[in-house]
Amino acid sequence: MPSPNVATRGQRSLLRQIREALAGGGPAQARLDMVVRIIARSMVAEVCSLYMRRASSDMELFATEGLDPNAVHVTRMKPGEGLVGEIMRLGRPLNLSDAPNHPAFSYRPETGEDPFHAFMGVPLLRGGRAIGVLVVQNRTERVYSDDEVEDLQIVAMVLAEMVAGGELAAEGHLKGIDIAPTKPERLKGAKFADGLALGVVVLHEPPVAPSQLLAEDVGAEDARLKTAISELQAQIDFMLEGQHGLVEASYEVLETYKMFAHDRGWSRSLEDAVRNGLTAEAAVERVRSEHRARLGQARDPYLRERLHDFEDLADRLLRHLSGDGAAARELPENAILVARNLGPADLLEYDRTKLKGLLLEEGSSASHAAIVARALEIPCVGRLTGLRDKVSEGDPVIVDAETGEAYLRPRPDVIKSLQARLEVRLQRRAEFAKLRDTPAYTRDGAKITLLMNAGLDVDLDILAETGAEGIGLFRTEFQFMVAEEMPRFSAQAALYGRVMDAAGDMPVTFRTLDLGGDKVLPYMEAEREDNPALGWRAIRMGLDRPALLRLQLRALIAAARGRPLRIMFPLVASVDEFRAARALVDHEVAWAQRRGRPAPSRLDVGAMIEAPAVIWHLDALLPMTDFVSVGTNDLMQYLFAADRGNPRVSDRYDFLSPPALRALETIQRACAETGTPVSVCGEMAGRPLEAFVLTALGFERLSMPPAGIGPVKQMVLSCDREAARRGVSTLIKSSAGSIRNEIETLARKLYLAI
């Protein structure tokens, strides 16, 4: 039996012969014929055949050594037909001692394969998609060894890259090979951020294509791979300790990375591929393709999640091998970003002027990536299952965030229809712009104050053009989430000062840090929690780490420079929490005054009503506050015990349901009775139909994403508040789970502009 070194040298020789045959001159068919002869001779096989997938998805015999050559480009099989179809379906090898007796065997008399029993076929995988099948056969009944299967898989991988990436793909019969998805396709997902966009796909983690497939020096490649794996493991360990400034990964994701990065099975597969003659980069792609093909077929959601974990891990390893992982991404002018999911900081790393849309496989409309997308007015559709395997970098794509759909490689008529709809949206925006300076009064004279949610520097640039009457919610945590280290006092004060300067005489309400849950800072140690949304977050974190909260309060007081200041604490669940937080504010004001620094000319301190417990303690809470604001995003997830970031449960409740609206009515009445100013600053306020109901319930201050102000103002101007109040008060007595349809009917009866 040959030694491993001899076997490896023999395989490298085979791969080089294949590469030389494909790179040589002459017709493409002659080169493929030579390749199958080389493989048959090297593997002592009586038959070697190459099948490729056509754009029609049929599998066609493209070259053979040992079968009837007249069957080439004649024999075709439908998707899933025969043993070749089975390999395509499964995306993994099939090794049979007696192929004709397998239930999937499909007899084709024109091939002359009657005498052959032993059969081994492996898929040609490219980007996780099977584009063809390589088969060897022998007359004798035998099972091919694991080494032979491994050898043929290596050959198939190299062959897939060479056929797809070389001149062959454009010649003769090979012109119709289905290398990547080319057909138009429509995917149904969920609307996360309203809008329409046409552009080209930019993958959030673009594949780093190996520039060289075959190793010149196996020992050197093995050393490169081991060094990169060690660096990756050290990086992930470091991030788990909270000592590295990568903002895109949560603790749980990094923990999964760590488990897989240290997995011996994964690293052994990579090392085996390198020892068989591949470069380190080609080995990563080879193992990645196997995982994609195997786990991509799994019905179990957990197994499919593991595929994504391996995807992310492979991308990181490739960046360690290439050494340019930190290079800035250059975007085309009309980029549509495609990702599995994103953290809010990830989105901010891209050039906003070129990023036209966002498509996600996962997420929810209440996720922070979606909130940032709405703030930046970037159309976003999520929950597009299997999206990344159905697109290639540079594919044309439409983001239809009006209907929650994505059109991949759209037909000309679909593009024409989109352009007409874009023109209508432009006209509507022009109508909203005309209303910018019109006060928002209902038809019966009730003044509704429309404010803007913000949290980014870019929000300040559009404050004046939105027609907002101030900033009803400034999310201070975004500054912390996009930084690689804790923002210092000077950086915090500078940002808050810019916000107040931009607002001028208009009010700004600063929400103190709302961290924890799904917002984990990379430079802060985080303990894993079973229920992070119910755990150590928001005001709880601030009170447990008073130095962090006091530093922020000190920066806010300094930034005010004697001007009015509004501070709001998130997720107040008890009066004791608010009392303790208010004491810290008073302490910091006194601290500033003792040092001769100006105190705010007016100081308003409020609480966010997000925890249901305070609804039944408003009689104690409201007298302590100067104002309150209802955070409907969190309030609803706690009312319905449905994680807003979990797509399996986030759609199980409706804002427009009797329980939700009765809770809001209770809050509004309590505030009216005590004279406490109240606003609504959740996503609900920015949707015209929901804002109509809030107006009917008596709320007069609504804070929303910038894009919501025009549509909501148009609704307010068309609304008879008293008629709306009568209609809604009747509907919320309903026993139905949702009254959305009934409210839509009411809006039409009142001729509401929504």
Side-chain angles (χ1 to χ4, degrees), residues 12-289:
R12 291 206 303 275
S13 173
L14 168 61
L15 294 174
R16 285 198 176 86
Q17 289 180 63
I18 292 171
R19 184 172 62 182
E20 289 167 2
L22 289 175
Q29 187 63 54
R31 285 183 272 169
L32 287 180
D33 293 341
M34 184 181 297
V35 165
V36 293
R37 282 197 298 273
I38 292 169
I39 296 170
R41 185 173 64 245
S42 173
M43 298 196 66
V44 195
E46 292 165 280
V47 173
C48 178
S49 304
L50 174 65
Y51 296 82
M52 299 297 295
R53 180 162 67 179
R54 288 290 190 186
S56 64
S57 294
D58 288 353
M59 293 299 296
E60 181 179 311
L61 179 62
F62 262 69
T64 186
E65 171 70 12
L67 298 183
D68 189 334
N70 293 318
V72 172
H73 300 304
V74 173
T75 295
R76 283 196 176 197
M77 283 171 278
K78 297 295 181 184
E81 183 182 358
L83 298 177
V84 168
E86 187 75 357
I87 294 167
M88 291 289 288
R89 184 179 69 83
L90 296 174
R92 58 176 182 261
L94 195 58
N95 187 358
L96 304 171
S97 62
D98 188 14
N101 284 321
H102 190 279
F105 181 79
S106 176
Y107 177 62
R108 293 304 181 88
E110 73 274 11
T111 63
E113 62 179 333
D114 308 62
F116 305 105
H117 289 270
F119 174 101
M120 176 174 56
V122 300
L124 273 66
L125 297 171
R126 194 166 192 271
R129 299 180 69 251
I131 63 171
V133 173
L134 186 61
V135 173
V136 292
Q137 295 172 270
N138 284 88
R139 284 183 168 84
T140 307
E141 291 188 21
R142 55 166 293 212
V143 175
Y144 295 92
S145 70
D146 290 344
D147 286 343
E148 288 173 310
V149 175
E150 173 78 15
D151 289 347
L152 198 62
Q153 284 182 294
I154 295 286
V155 169
M157 178 201 167
V158 173
L159 194 56
E161 290 297 329
M162 290 180 175
V163 168
E167 296 177 359
L168 285 173
E171 286 191 34
H173 288 287
L174 277 77
K175 284 182 179 178
I177 293 177
D178 184 18
I179 302 299
T182 56
K183 293 180 179 178
E185 192 169 355
R186 183 177 77 169
L187 298 182
K188 181 65 179 174
K191 168 184 168 180
F192 285 3
D194 185 54
L196 298 169
L198 170 64
V200 296
V201 168
V202 171
L203 297 174
H204 176 53
E205 295 288 359
V208 182
S211 57
Q212 187 175 345
L213 296 171
L214 305 180
E216 299 295 336
D217 184 338
V218 171
E221 286 301 305
D222 191 46
R224 282 184 67 230
L225 177 67
K226 287 178 177 174
T227 298
I229 291 175
S230 295
E231 290 174 352
L232 175 64
Q233 291 170 342
Q235 178 197 43
I236 292 169
D237 291 348
F238 211 43
M239 287 191 288
L240 268 172
E241 293 167 8
Q243 298 174 356
H244 196 278
L246 283 173
V247 296
E248 74 268 18
S250 69
Y251 181 86
E252 290 79 7
V253 173
L254 292 177
E255 191 176 61
T256 304
Y257 284 160
K258 179 177 181 179
M259 181 176 70
F260 285 125
H262 288 272
D263 179 64
R264 276 301 302 154
W266 182 65
S267 55
R268 193 179 298 116
S269 297
L270 294 167
E271 291 164 6
D272 288 346
V274 166
R275 292 188 187 113
N276 281 321
L278 295 181
T279 61
E281 289 84 354
V284 174
E285 287 297 344
R286 151 90 194 282
V287 173
R288 182 215 292 271
S289 285

Side-chain angles (χ1 to χ4, degrees), residues 344 424 466 478 503 540 566 726:
V424 171
T466 62
F478 282 173
R540 301 165 184 177
R566 292 171 61 86
R726 290 194 300 268

